[in-house]
Amino acid sequence: MNVLIVEDERKLADVLEHILKEEKYIVDAAYNGNDGLAYALTGTYDVIILDVMLPGMNGFDIVRRMRNEKNSTPVLMLTAKGEINDRVHGLDCGADDYMQKPFSSDELLARIRALTRRQGEIVLEVMEYGDLTLRLDNHELSCRDKSVRLSLKEYEVLKLLVVNKNQVLTKDIIITKVWGYDSEAENNNLEAYISFLRKKLTYLESGVMIDVLRKVGYTLKYEKNG
Ligand code: CA
């Protein structure tokens, strides 16, 4: 899957690139509007992430030019806070979806998956770890015959730990991925969600534990019960 990022904020472009590469996407980045349009018109991308305010040519003009040239690559536009008009304008110009900054990596990936999903593609609906099954559609976590519903943030934190099950994730990484790259979520916030999750694991009588290592990060551990 090939993704083009057109974003002049270098730091954000790098974050996007990192998130997408971790998911095994092949990523190109352009840092101004003219390069962005030239790359987009090659027609070699499965999806394009397009910022609105860009030096050279803005995001709206890029989509309009693409559609005029009969280029139908799906476009996800990035809008800044409060730019609701941008969103409407973007969709009018031929963008397929929009996303407001700041966003979490899960939201970004979900939108990209939705834009690139082909008809008939089978979507993974559950994730398993130890004796746990996590449903991706309704965020239900179950262990044998017991189940609980996770809140969105609990779900995102747990999913991240399951995906990276053999690693220790630092608090910073978890906060960046779940709350967004410029979020003001504090360590305390994360600790609260970890404690909610631990309570739910206890309730489920699961053998899965969230381990804290040297007070820097978290990882999952599984010990088979009885
Ligand atoms: Ca910009």
Side-chain angles (χ1 to χ4, degrees):
M1 195 83 75
N2 293 288
V3 184
L4 172 63
I5 299 165
V6 187
E7 169 61 74
D8 60 311
E9 244 176 90
R10 195 54 193 256
K11 198 176 146 207
L12 176 56
D14 289 348
V15 170
L16 287 167
E17 192 171 338
H18 178 75
I19 293 169
L20 293 168
K21 282 187 168 166
E22 274 201 339
E23 298 293 313
K24 311 284 179 240
Y25 290 101
I26 299 159
V27 184
D28 282 335
Y31 308 107
N32 65 63
N34 297 320
D35 286 352
L37 178 66
Y39 280 46
L41 290 178
T42 61
T44 53
Y45 300 100
D46 297 290
V47 64
I48 297 173
I49 301 172
L50 184 59
D51 187 31
V52 173
M53 295 304 292
L54 290 163
M57 178 182 281
N58 73 39
F60 301 133
D61 289 337
I62 292 176
V63 190
R64 206 178 288 119
R65 282 282 300 278
M66 284 171 61
R67 299 312 184 224
N68 285 344
E69 308 269 338
K70 308 283 177 239
N71 176 309
S72 60
T73 307
V75 170
L76 171 60
M77 293 206 91
L78 301 181
T79 63
K81 230 175 216 160
E83 293 175 340
I84 299 298
N85 288 337
D86 276 3
R87 160 195 157 189
V88 175
H89 191 179
L91 296 174
D92 281 350
C93 288
D96 299 86
D97 196 5
Y98 74 92
M99 189 167 64
Q100 187 177 293
K101 303 177 192 177
F103 44 81
S104 71
S105 53
D106 272 355
E107 182 183 6
L108 170 75
L109 294 172
R111 286 175 188 275
I112 288 179
R113 275 194 300 272
L115 286 175
T116 57
R117 188 167 296 148
R118 292 177 181 89
Q119 270 191 336
E121 188 178 335
I122 295 165
V123 182
L124 179 70
E125 284 176 339
V126 299
M127 205 173 248
E128 290 175 331
Y129 177 79
D131 52 12
L132 292 175
T133 303
L134 177 61
R135 280 182 58 161
L136 305 188
D137 52 351
N138 64 3
H139 305 170
E140 190 181 78
L141 181 66
S142 47
C143 176
R144 291 175 288 273
D145 55 349
K146 282 184 156 180
S147 65
V148 282
R149 192 68 68 86
L150 301 184
S151 72
L152 179 63
K153 292 300 179 201
E154 290 169 357
Y155 162 79
E156 290 182 341
V157 170
L158 183 64
K159 197 176 123 203
L160 193 63
L161 289 168
V162 172
V163 168
N164 299 283
K165 57 194 168 211
N166 299 317
Q167 303 170 36
V168 178
L169 293 180
T170 66
K171 292 176 179 180
D172 283 348
I173 286 182
I174 300 176
I175 289 172
T176 303
K177 294 212 169 197
V178 172
W179 278 269
Y181 69 96
D182 66 352
S183 112
E184 283 160 14
E186 305 273 329
N187 279 353
N188 292 348
N189 219 330
L190 172 60
E191 279 161 22
Y193 281 97
I194 294 284
S195 117
F196 297 151
L197 278 170
R198 283 181 172 143
K199 285 191 180 116
K200 291 187 175 177
L201 291 173
T202 304
Y203 166 78
L204 292 171
E205 297 174 44
S206 166
V208 174
M209 279 162 287
I210 301 174
D211 230 14
V212 56
L213 283 169
R214 283 192 234 114
K215 298 198 187 269
V216 295
Y218 296 102
T219 190
L220 290 180
K221 210 168 80 182
Y222 175 54
E223 283 174 12
K224 222 169 185 172
N225 290 337

